[in-house]
């Protein structure tokens, strides 16, 4: 039985208990209509800080603010009834201290009705994860390629190859031991993702990782073909909505210019039509 076979939205403990079962399904969402579309199909929906690049045209996730996250979290929350919502903690909102992280995580949870927060980092964030979990805030961890650290990682490179393999395995164990209920593995070699999945007792959620992970997540605008600035190898396009939208806009522009829109069916007569008796 999948996690969402339940009528109520799953809680972090339900996601945690899905380890090794039917794969956990997740997508990012930033708006109410998109959340409504994925609600029946996803176990959890992530309000990712990818919103900065996907909807706000930012060059990276670093410029995303608490206010942006809260506004999108509130919109997504209004579209969900059977999927859990996880809120990304934006860059600069949690790294300084466990206390800083608690203040901002509590705000994200109370102002958006989220079920959990997600933050990036392994061993270095373990103390913060334990602090939050101990104070009632469920945490999803995120290791491997952590986009908020793009400047120290030196770009969007695959993480955990060669000597970095053991460190990533240690990061996974550290966040699991600290009490995270799940961990996102982004852009890591397939065999390492499989080893991590076998080594820890919390679900691994893959993005550019392995079909052997306990679940998968994708950025919804990537998989629908709405965000086309670039396409990572791990993105599968399930639709090409960006192309469809551009063709529709071009058709509209042409019809406006040649006065075929609006047509007779879109305009109003002087007198209201008589009601039928
Ligand atoms: O911000 C985001 O969309 C994410 C996913 C890529 C996991 O963190």
């Amino acid at each position: 039985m999948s996690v969402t076979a339940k009528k109520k939205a799953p809680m972090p403990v339900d996601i945690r208990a899905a380890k090794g079962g039917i794969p956990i399904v997740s997508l990012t969402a930033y708006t109410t209509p998109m959340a409504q579309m994925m609600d029946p199909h996803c176990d959890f929906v992530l309000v990712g800080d990818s919103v900065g690049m996907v909807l706000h045209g930012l060059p990276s996730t670093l410029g995303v603010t608490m206010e942006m996250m809260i506004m999108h979290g509130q919109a997504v929350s209004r579209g969900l009834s059977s999927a859990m919502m996880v809120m990304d903690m934006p860059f600069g909102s949690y790294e300084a201290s466990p206390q800083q992280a608690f203040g901002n995580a509590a705000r994200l949870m109370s102002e958006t009705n989220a079920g959990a927060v997600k933050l990036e980092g392994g061993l270095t964030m373990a103390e913060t994860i334990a602090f939050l979990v101990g104070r009632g805030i469920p945490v999803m961890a995120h290791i491997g390629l952590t986009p908020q650290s793009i400047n120290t990682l030196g770009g969007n490179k695959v993480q955990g190859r060669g000597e970095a393999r053991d460190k990533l395995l240690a990061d996974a164990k550290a966040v699991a031991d600290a009490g995270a209920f799940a961990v996102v593995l982004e852009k890591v070699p397939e065999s390492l993702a499989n080893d991590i999945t076998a080594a820890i007792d919390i679900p691994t959620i893959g993005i550019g990782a392995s079909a052997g992970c306990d679940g998968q997540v994708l950025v919804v605008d990537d998989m629908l073909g709405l965000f086309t600035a670039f396409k990572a190898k791990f993105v599968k396009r399930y639709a090409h909505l960006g192309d469809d939208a551009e063709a529709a806009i071009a058709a509209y522009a042409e019809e406006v210019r040649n006065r075929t829109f609006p047509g007779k069916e879109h305009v109003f007569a002087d007198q209201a039509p008589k009601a039928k008796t």
Side-chain angles (χ1 to χ4, degrees), residues 28 46 48-50 88 118 142 184 186 207 217 219:
T28 65
L46 171 68
D49 62 354
S50 48
D88 246 348
K118 175 167 84 59
H142 181 160
V184 170
E186 180 165 351
I207 174 165
V217 63
V219 170

Side-chain angles (χ1 to χ4, degrees), residues 6 8 110 119 128 134 187 203 211 245 272:
K6 299 178 177 183
K8 276 191 344 187
S110 65
L119 54 80
T128 295
K187 213 166 177 180

